[in-house]
Amino acid sequence: MISIDRFLSDEQDPKAVEKVIGKLNDLLTTNEEILYLAVQKKPAVNLLPDSIAVTNKRIFYCEPGNLGLTMNFKDISLKNIKEVSFKEELFGSKFICVPQTGENIVTEFIPKTQARKLYQAANEQLEEYKETLRQQKLEEDKANAPAQPAPQPFADFGSIEAPAPVVDPEPIQIAEVVEEPEDETTLKLRKLKTLYDKHLITQEEYEAKKGAILDSL
């Protein structure tokens, strides 16, 4: 049996807490536990207050029925909750649960201190649930990711033939032209022609001397 003492820290109605805890104890699943319980405090008559319980898996809405003889329970799991919030008013606060689909669930007249702690407990569980989903998604993506190709081993450079050495072409040998010395007759004729080209002798003189040189051969 769950002890009610830890759910009376913020002036919750002891009778309402005892009745709700007694019923919730039979509704909890394996490894599910109640984290916080808030009880309505209506400004006029507060004989049959509603209660809200936050567990590590869902939020319970507890409504007395048949003049308090019965208790009606509704719950919404964390996966179906988009967000939670609260709004402080003159008489307590409104606790608002926004589901993924459908209308908001609003509970009025929750004492302000209880509303803040109720919001804190519910919001922490939502964040943990979202983080769990995120981690699962990462693991699934990792598992479904295509396998990366195995790295290729480095080539054995010892087995690669070294390139043939570059051989400079042999220089082209240019034959040296050696001029043979002119004989005396050719030298005389060259000098005679030079004199004629420089107009130092007349053509008649040139022809005469040329003939004389050739006749001496």
Side-chain angles (χ1 to χ4, degrees):
M1 183 70 179
I2 301 174
S3 173
I4 70 170
D5 293 340
R6 66 191 183 97
F7 302 114
L8 302 175
S9 59
D10 298 311
E11 300 181 357
Q12 289 94 334
D13 184 334
K15 292 183 179 180
V17 171
E18 184 177 9
K19 184 174 294 186
V20 169
I21 293 298
K23 298 290 185 179
L24 280 179
N25 187 46
D26 297 329
L27 299 178
L28 299 180
T29 61
T30 304
N31 298 324
E32 185 176 16
E33 61 174 329
I34 301 173
L35 303 176
Y36 192 78
L37 177 65
V39 181
Q40 266 185 340
K41 189 173 184 180
K42 300 175 182 178
V45 180
N46 196 49
L47 295 178
L48 301 172
D50 293 346
S51 302
I52 303 176
V54 174
T55 77
N56 56 331
K57 295 184 178 181
R58 49 188 163 167
I59 297 178
F60 281 97
Y61 290 87
C62 317
E63 302 175 354
N66 298 320
L67 301 177
L69 298 177
T70 60
M71 184 70 66
N72 299 319
F73 292 93
K74 297 178 182 178
D75 68 290
I76 180 170
S77 63
L78 295 177
K79 68 179 181 179
N80 294 324
I81 299 175
K82 184 177 181 180
E83 62 182 6
V84 294
S85 63
F86 70 97
K87 181 180 180 182
E88 294 187 353
E89 298 182 328
L90 183 60
F91 297 103
S93 300
K94 285 182 179 180
F95 180 76
I96 305 166
C97 175
V98 181
Q100 296 288 353
T101 59
E103 298 180 354
N104 294 351
I105 305 171
V106 181
T107 306
E108 297 182 305
F109 307 123
I110 302 296
K112 295 179 181 179
T113 299
Q114 294 181 41
R116 285 193 291 269
K117 291 187 178 180
L118 186 65
Y119 165 78
Q120 182 180 13
N123 197 54
E124 285 179 352
Q125 294 308 305
L126 280 175
E127 292 300 322
E128 289 184 11
Y129 176 73
K130 291 176 182 177
E131 177 62 21
T132 300
L133 291 182
R134 191 182 72 85
Q135 293 296 334
Q136 291 177 351
K137 183 67 166 57
L138 290 176
E139 292 297 328
E140 291 176 0
D141 291 344
K142 185 177 180 180
N144 295 331
Q148 297 295 326
Q152 297 296 324
F154 289 106
D156 183 4
F157 291 104
S159 63
I160 299 177
E161 295 183 3
V166 178
V167 180
D168 292 335
E170 295 184 0
I172 299 174
Q173 299 293 330
I174 301 176
E176 183 178 357
V177 178
V178 179
E179 295 184 358
E180 295 182 0
E182 295 180 334
D183 57 18
E184 183 178 358
T185 300
T186 302
L187 183 58
K188 288 181 178 181
L189 291 173
R190 184 183 297 279
K191 289 180 178 182
L192 181 63
K193 183 66 167 61
T194 300
L195 292 175
Y196 174 72
D197 290 339
K198 292 182 179 182
H199 305 288
L200 298 177
I201 60 176
T202 63
Q203 184 175 358
E204 291 78 4
E205 292 176 328
Y206 171 73
E207 294 295 342
K209 291 184 179 295
K210 178 181 177 182
I213 292 171
L214 294 176
D215 291 341
S216 63
L217 292 177

